[in-house]
């Protein structure tokens, strides 16, 4: 009986050490959206993009796709802003990557909001906010 208990305790210690190794290196897919203030210039938006891209890459993450959705109306006032510049990242990384990213975003005064969503797979083909030229021409003719 004593041998079984010792074996069980050793097994649990071994299992916990092995599982923590595998869980740390687990890469997940994330969609991350940032809303910057409406009065940020295009050069400042480029700096914000570069800053957070470097943070992602320095923490063993990969940016699979970046989209700048531009200046859009907000549903409600956020810090006295009616509009915001939307930046959207599609990321492959670990929880450590997202933790570091959000830690830096909390202290950035140029950002209004940010949101990270973990997804099972990413849609890299669709551009949701790309203007369709055919529909744009039809609206002009009407």
């Amino acid at each position: 009986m004593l041998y079984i208990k010792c074996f069980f305790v050793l097994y649990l210690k071994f299992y916990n050490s092995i599982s923590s190794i595998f869980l740390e290196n687990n890469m997940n897919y994330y969609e991350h959206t940032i809303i910057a203030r409406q009065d940020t210039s295009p050069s400042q938006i480029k700096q914000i993009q570069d800053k957070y891209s470097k943070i992602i890459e320095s923490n063993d993450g990969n940016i699979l796709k970046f989209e700048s959705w531009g200046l859009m109306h907000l549903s409600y006032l956020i810090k006295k802003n009616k509009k915001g510049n939307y930046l959207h990242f599609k990321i492959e990384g670990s929880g450590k990557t997202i933790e570091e990213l959000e830690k830096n975003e909390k202290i950035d005064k140029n950002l209004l909001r940010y949101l990270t969503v973990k997804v099972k797979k990413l849609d890299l083909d669709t551009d949701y906010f790309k203007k369709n030229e055919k529909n744009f021409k039809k609206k002009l003719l009407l």
Side-chain angles (χ1 to χ4, degrees):
M1 189 70 170
L2 182 62
Y3 292 112
I4 294 172
K5 286 182 182 179
C6 290
F7 175 77
F8 186 71
V9 170
L10 289 173
Y11 174 77
L12 286 178
K13 287 182 180 180
F14 176 75
Y15 178 77
N16 288 337
S17 64
I18 294 297
S19 64
S20 66
I21 291 170
F22 287 117
L23 291 176
E24 287 178 9
N25 296 329
N26 193 9
M27 299 293 268
N28 299 310
Y29 295 116
Y30 298 94
E31 291 196 18
H32 185 74
T33 305
I34 299 171
I35 306 175
R37 296 168 46 95
Q38 64 187 7
D39 57 349
T40 53
S41 67
S43 63
Q44 287 176 319
I45 290 178
K46 180 68 176 157
Q47 288 175 348
I48 290 171
Q49 175 191 348
D50 293 340
K51 175 183 177 182
Y52 292 111
S53 296
K54 287 178 185 174
I55 291 171
I56 292 167
E57 290 168 356
S58 67
N59 287 294
D60 300 326
N62 297 323
I63 299 173
L64 302 176
K65 187 173 184 181
F66 170 77
E67 298 173 358
S68 180
W69 292 345
L71 187 66
M72 294 194 294
H73 288 279
L74 300 172
S75 299
Y76 52 91
L77 288 177
I78 301 174
K79 298 180 186 176
K80 300 180 183 177
N81 289 281
K82 293 181 181 180
K83 296 181 180 181
N85 286 299
Y86 283 72
L87 305 171
H88 186 74
F89 294 90
K90 295 188 180 187
I91 304 168
E92 180 183 21
S94 64
K96 184 186 99 174
T97 306
I98 301 303
E99 184 179 306
E100 187 67 28
L101 184 64
E102 290 180 350
K103 183 176 80 172
N104 283 285
E105 288 169 341
K106 283 180 184 176
I107 58 175
D108 196 340
K109 299 293 183 190
N110 289 322
L111 304 184
L112 300 175
R113 291 278 194 276
Y114 59 89
L115 177 69
T116 307
V117 179
K118 183 179 177 182
V119 294
K120 291 185 179 179
K121 61 181 182 177
L122 291 172
D123 181 15
L124 299 175
D125 299 329
T126 308
D127 290 330
Y128 292 103
F129 291 97
K130 185 177 180 181
K131 299 210 187 293
N132 190 353
E133 292 180 18
K134 292 179 183 177
N135 290 339
F136 184 69
K137 288 179 182 178
K138 285 180 184 177
K139 287 181 182 178
L140 286 178
L141 295 174
L142 296 175

